[in-house]
Amino acid sequence: MNKEVDKAVVEDFLKHNGIDDKTINLINRLLRGGMKKNDFVDELHYEMYKRYVKKNRNRITFIVITRNGEYVYINVKIVYDYGYIIGRDGVSNKLFVNIIRPIYISSDLMTCTYDITPYICVVDQQYIKSDILQYDIDMDKNEYSSILLPQDKNVLFYRVQGEIVLRVERATDLRKMYEYMILYYANDQLIELYWLYIANLIIQKLREYHIAAEFTADRSIVIRDAVYRYSSRHTKLKKAIAVANVIVNTLKDLGLDTYTVCSDGYYDIVCGIHNSITNNRFITVYIEDHGRWGSSYMDIIISMYNITLGELLHVPATKQMHDNIIKTIDDYARNVNYVDHTVNANGHIITLKTLPVRIAINVDSVDQVFNTAAAITVNIPMFFVPSNTTIEIVHSQHGKKTIKVLEDYVISITSTNIDTIQNVVMTRLAIELLAKKIPDTP
């Protein structure tokens, strides 16, 4: 089939499906590699088009166009499938190119012609927006906009500028949700804090029996060179049980009943100390060949076993400590002031008002253990934005945008569904373009 017939078939199909002449001309130019540098928002996006779309236009397997002509998806087959979205910038009305994860033709959602190669398909704009680029509402073309979730929606994704998308979640009690997220992101720290409390008491108890033990970098307890390598497995097992019994007694003093299950496997000698309430393993005692050259002895290791915060809170002492920390965090969440926060999101400078998201809270309730106040430090990857405030977004290419927030929301900054390789490719091209400006040395 010659090019003129191809062009006629393409135009007839697109016109029949309501595509305007401007978009039809764009498709014909894309198919024939006829796009120019001034068609794109900048040289970088033109280079992306030239090297990855134009260069491989004979490997394009299909094209998907939104009915309003806003987006064009191009699928290129080079061993694997690669997907490119070409769209129009909301400010300059020029084209940009993004790499996205490949999509596939869906006869249920698309109207396609298979009479030519590459196949041409037409789809509703909402499919590209919500299913492919993964946002619900496009605010990119409005200089000033406002966010107000419909009553029947608790979460929506707003494309606000370029590839930047805001995930907006309704917050019936903003500060309560703030407190919940502090605790959520502090979870691992709390587990470590309570384990250190218990481990410290285990070490003290071992020392009462003149057993020297110490912490390791991975927060285990090690009794070094405790077991003669060449003793019988039965003797090794008895020594592991002896240490496990000391731990059981320590936990009993803390108010937690446990029991021990030991095994003498072919390779490992392990004692698991189980919570009597949940029957879950709480602490593991095992003999480890540390591999130190020339040593005839092995270590006994005491460590947490996939322990959760819930398991630790069965210990009355740590539960009391936790209750005190909850009260401290609750007081902080209820009384801390809003701050102005600025973040750089891929070149978009975003400023908004939020409850603090980089937090360090002193928890004095653990003074009794460490003789100094501990601190819970968290970085929460979302913002707690009050009603009747504004979000300002500034970008060198896209300009300035102001968004009014009409209710209390939890807002996260994300992006359209761009492939992770996009930044790598753009970085390579940007460095090449900069390098071209440097004169060659003789």
Side-chain angles (χ1 to χ4, degrees):
M1 188 177 287
N2 62 56
K3 290 184 178 180
E4 291 302 316
V5 174
D6 281 355
K7 182 177 178 181
V9 172
V10 170
E11 290 184 358
D12 182 64
F13 171 76
L14 294 177
K15 285 181 180 179
H16 180 73
N17 283 277
I19 305 299
D20 60 32
D21 291 339
K22 184 178 180 180
T23 304
I24 291 174
N25 179 54
L26 171 64
I27 298 303
N28 281 322
R29 292 171 67 199
L30 284 171
L31 287 171
R32 286 154 182 78
M35 307 302 297
K36 305 299 182 185
K37 185 185 295 186
N38 62 3
D39 291 318
F40 292 86
V41 292
D42 57 25
E43 187 177 6
L44 200 55
H45 283 267
Y46 172 66
E47 286 294 326
M48 176 86 80
Y49 154 76
K50 187 172 71 173
R51 298 191 190 196
Y52 294 96
V53 179
K54 179 180 178 179
K55 181 180 177 181
N56 296 303
R57 65 185 183 276
N58 292 328
R59 295 171 172 169
I60 296 174
T61 54
F62 66 92
I63 295 175
V64 180
I65 308 149
T66 56
R67 295 187 191 281
N68 64 354
E70 185 173 358
Y71 292 110
V72 176
Y73 170 83
I74 298 173
N75 198 86
V76 176
K77 181 80 170 182
I78 312 174
V79 183
Y80 301 104
D81 287 300
Y82 295 87
Y84 301 90
I85 279 281
I86 297 179
R88 291 197 178 275
D89 173 63
V91 176
S92 66
N93 204 35
K94 292 191 173 185
L95 301 176
F96 63 83
V97 183
N98 284 333
I99 305 172
I100 68 167
R101 297 174 185 85
I103 67 173
Y104 302 96
I105 292 176
S106 170
S107 57
D108 295 332
L109 298 169
M110 303 174 186
T111 303
C112 302
T113 176
Y114 303 106
D115 297 331
I116 55 172
T117 303
Y119 304 145
I120 307 291
C121 299
V122 174
V123 71
D124 289 338
Q125 180 194 20
Q126 192 60 36
Y127 171 74
I128 296 290
K129 284 168 52 177
S130 60
D131 288 41
I132 307 305
L133 295 177
Q134 295 183 356
Y135 67 88
D136 301 302
I137 297 174
D138 198 338
M139 304 171 73
D140 189 39
K141 293 181 173 56
N142 302 319
E143 181 182 352
Y144 188 93
S145 307
S146 60
I147 293 176
L148 179 64
L149 287 182
Q151 289 301 313
D152 62 336
K153 300 289 185 182
N154 289 322
V155 177
L156 282 177
F157 291 80
Y158 291 78
R159 176 174 173 252
V160 291
Q161 192 182 72
E163 76 278 12
I164 299 301
V165 173
L166 300 183
R167 180 189 183 278
V168 180
E169 181 177 358
R170 191 184 308 281
T172 53
D173 187 335
L174 192 64
R175 288 181 180 269
K176 192 66 180 175
M177 188 172 288
Y178 179 58
E179 178 186 347
Y180 172 81
M181 296 312 297
I182 293 174
L183 288 168
Y184 177 82
Y185 284 100
N187 184 77
D188 289 347
Q189 290 180 63
L190 293 174
I191 288 174
E192 181 173 339
L193 184 66
Y194 302 152
W195 163 242
L196 286 176
Y197 168 70
I198 294 170
N200 184 61
L201 295 177
I202 290 172
I203 289 175
Q204 290 180 22
K205 180 65 74 173
L206 289 169
R207 285 173 180 165
E208 290 179 11
Y209 291 91
H210 305 288
I211 298 172
E214 60 189 61
F215 284 117
T216 62
D218 64 356
R219 297 304 187 187
S220 295
I221 301 169
V222 59
I223 306 172
R224 299 197 183 279
D225 295 333
V227 179
Y228 183 56
R229 180 188 303 277
Y230 303 108
S231 59
S232 69
R233 296 187 66 81
H234 177 70
T235 299
K236 291 175 182 176
L237 179 61
K238 285 179 66 177
K239 291 182 177 181
I241 293 172
V243 171
N245 287 341
V246 174
I247 297 170
V248 168
N249 290 332
T250 304
L251 294 173
K252 187 174 183 179
D253 291 342
L254 289 171
L256 180 67
D257 286 330
T258 57
Y259 61 91
T260 304
V261 177
C262 295
S263 63
D264 176 12
Y266 183 77
Y267 292 106
D268 300 315
I269 293 174
V270 177
C271 286
I273 299 171
H274 295 249
N275 185 339
S276 296
I277 300 171
T278 64
N279 291 318
N280 293 326
R281 191 190 299 186
F282 193 74
I283 292 172
T284 298
V285 179
Y286 61 95
I287 296 176
E288 180 180 73
D289 185 350
H290 49 62
R292 286 190 288 274
W293 183 83
S295 175
S296 298
Y297 290 88
M298 304 170 76
D299 296 341
I300 296 179
I301 306 295
I302 303 163
S303 67
M304 293 187 292
Y305 183 82
N306 296 329
I307 203 162
T308 65
L309 184 58
E311 287 291 327
L312 285 165
L313 295 183
H314 282 108
V315 180
T318 55
K319 177 64 166 64
Q320 182 60 52
M321 192 186 303
H322 186 69
D323 290 343
N324 292 337
I325 290 174
I326 291 287
K327 185 179 185 303
T328 300
I329 293 176
D330 180 71
D331 290 343
Y332 173 86
R334 290 296 172 188
N335 295 294
V336 69
N337 293 325
Y338 289 96
V339 297
D340 292 323
H341 188 92
T342 299
V343 61
N344 186 332
N346 199 23
H348 300 258
I349 308 303
I350 303 174
T351 303
L352 43 69
K353 189 173 288 294
T354 177
L355 293 168
V357 294
R358 295 172 183 166
I359 304 159
I361 303 173
N362 289 329
V363 283
D364 298 330
S365 58
V366 295
D367 279 0
Q368 56 184 334
V369 181
F370 300 104
N371 297 317
T372 182
I376 300 297
T377 59
V378 294
N379 289 317
I380 304 177
M382 58 193 67
F383 304 97
F384 303 82
V385 182
S387 61
N388 299 314
T389 58
T390 58
I391 300 173
E392 185 179 276
I393 307 173
V394 179
H395 188 270
S396 58
Q397 184 183 91
H398 298 282
K400 179 179 177 180
K401 185 180 187 64
T402 304
I403 299 170
K404 182 78 172 180
V405 179
L406 299 179
E407 292 181 342
D408 291 350
Y409 294 124
V410 177
I411 295 178
S412 305
I413 299 172
T414 179
S415 68
T416 51
N417 189 29
I418 296 173
D419 197 292
T420 52
I421 200 174
Q422 168 92 4
N423 284 338
V424 175
V425 171
M426 294 291 265
T427 298
R428 289 175 186 163
L429 293 177
I431 292 173
E432 285 185 27
L433 293 176
L434 288 173
K436 285 180 180 179
K437 297 177 182 179
I438 299 174
D440 293 331
T441 55

